[in-house]
Structures are given as structure tokens and as C-alpha cells.
Amino acid sequence: MKQITLLALLFMAATTGLTIDFGQDKAGDTWRIVNDGVMGGLSQSSATLTEDTVLFKGDVSLENNGGFASMRTLITEGALKDCKTMTIRFKSSSTNRTFGLSLKNSQQYYIPYYKHTFTPKTTDWEILTVNLSDFKHYRISEVIGNEMPKKALDDVFNIALIISDKKAGPFDIEIDYITFE
């Protein structure tokens, strides 16, 4: 009986969380582009699956009150419920740009969401691991709170990679995987 319980716990631990692997699983097929054109902006971007990654690149324009480009996907609501960390493996030649990874529980832009921002330090591959509790609370790109409560993960169903650093110009980021554990 104890062996079955232990095996069940090991299986549950192994299946907790979410891994988005753009190489092995070709997870990029479910991602879509959303740029500031939805509000009149002129930013352009694309997400291209390579053999092992997804390449998100484009040009952010501040014209017509623009200023963001993003790629987004839906996940099963509750998939992040028991997670504590997010790890992303990426590289970028845009070491002067700031990217964000957002977790949302609404499709409406004005509903608050949680985001962690990061700036590539090098053009080589980097691995960034962040506690989910360190994600900041945002409303329309403005910080309104300093940490994400654990309960907020219960109904997250949308993940977005966004660039909205109030800088015009080209950007690129290549991602191998994003893991929530």
C-alpha cells in the first residue's frame, strides 16, 4: 500500500506544472500575435518556429499611441495552480530592450494581470528562473502591486510574451522553452 501511495505521489509531482517547449514539442503553433494595431498603433511582429525554438521579432512603433508587440497563447485554466517558479531559456540581440512575461485571467486589456519583466544581459543563451510570487500586478502597463498572491494562479488561462518598454525600434528574442513548476 505504501509503495502505491509513494508511486502516486511521484507521478503527481512529475505531472505538476506546465512546460512549453518550442523545440521538442513545437509548442509555437498555439501562439498568436497581438500588436498595438488593435488600438490604432503601428507596431509589427512575427513569431516563427525554427527547428528548436520560436523567434519573436519585429519593430515597435510609438506612432498613433502605439508601443507594444506580443505573442500569446491560451492554457488550461488552473494548470499553474500549484506552481512556484517560472523558468525561461532565451537569447536576444536586443540587450537594450525589456520584455515581459504576463499571466492573465481575462482577455480584456483593462483587467489587471501579473507580469515579470526582464532585459537580456548577453546575446548568448540565458536561463532565467523567477518565483511566481515576484510577478508584479499590472493594469494597462502600470504597476499596481508588488507581488502575485498564490491564489491568482488558480484561474490563469493566458500567457503572453510582450515588449512594451516605451522604446521605438527593432527587437528580437528567441525562446527554447518556458517551464512553470
Side-chain angles (χ1 to χ4, degrees):
M1 179 72 164
K2 286 185 180 181
Q3 284 182 326
I4 292 172
T5 304
L6 181 58
L7 287 173
L9 287 173
L10 287 172
F11 177 74
M12 286 175 23
T15 60
T16 300
L18 174 69
T19 296
I20 303 165
D21 189 324
F22 294 102
Q24 184 176 19
D25 297 337
K26 299 297 182 208
D29 289 341
T30 63
W31 291 70
R32 64 185 173 93
I33 297 295
V34 178
N35 296 327
D36 55 21
V38 298
M39 301 174 353
L42 302 173
S43 297
Q44 300 288 319
S45 70
S46 64
T48 306
L49 278 174
T50 70
E51 187 174 323
D52 295 316
T53 64
V54 64
L55 176 60
F56 177 51
K57 67 179 184 173
D59 191 71
V60 173
S61 171
L62 302 179
E63 302 285 321
N64 291 352
N65 295 316
F68 78 88
S70 70
M71 60 182 243
R72 304 170 186 211
T73 194
L74 299 177
I75 62 169
T76 302
E77 188 172 330
L80 305 183
K81 181 179 179 176
D82 295 321
C83 296
K84 292 180 176 51
T85 62
M86 180 275 303
T87 300
I88 182 171
R89 183 172 186 258
F90 67 94
K91 69 178 179 176
S92 174
S93 64
S94 303
T95 56
N96 63 335
R97 303 302 300 264
T98 299
F99 297 89
L101 192 80
S102 298
L103 305 176
K104 298 181 175 192
N105 59 12
S106 175
Q107 296 287 36
Q108 284 78 29
Y109 73 92
Y110 54 86
I111 301 293
Y113 57 94
Y114 297 92
K115 180 170 74 173
H116 178 75
T117 59
F118 60 98
T119 302
K121 295 177 175 71
T122 175
T123 57
D124 294 326
W125 285 104
E126 296 180 55
I127 296 176
L128 171 69
T129 299
V130 179
N131 290 327
L132 291 174
S133 61
D134 291 339
F135 275 52
K136 305 256 188 262
H137 202 185
Y138 281 78
R139 181 182 300 125
I140 311 174
S141 295
E142 298 296 325
V143 177
I144 60 172
N146 284 327
E147 64 182 46
M148 179 170 57
K150 177 113 176 79
K151 180 132 179 73
L153 294 169
D154 292 356
D155 56 357
V156 168
F157 67 88
N158 184 302
I159 298 173
L161 180 68
I162 187 165
I163 183 163
S164 60
D165 58 2
K166 299 182 175 142
K167 295 179 184 176
F171 70 89
D172 68 84
I173 185 166
E174 189 170 1
I175 302 169
D176 182 7
Y177 61 82
I178 304 169
T179 301
F180 295 89
E181 296 178 310

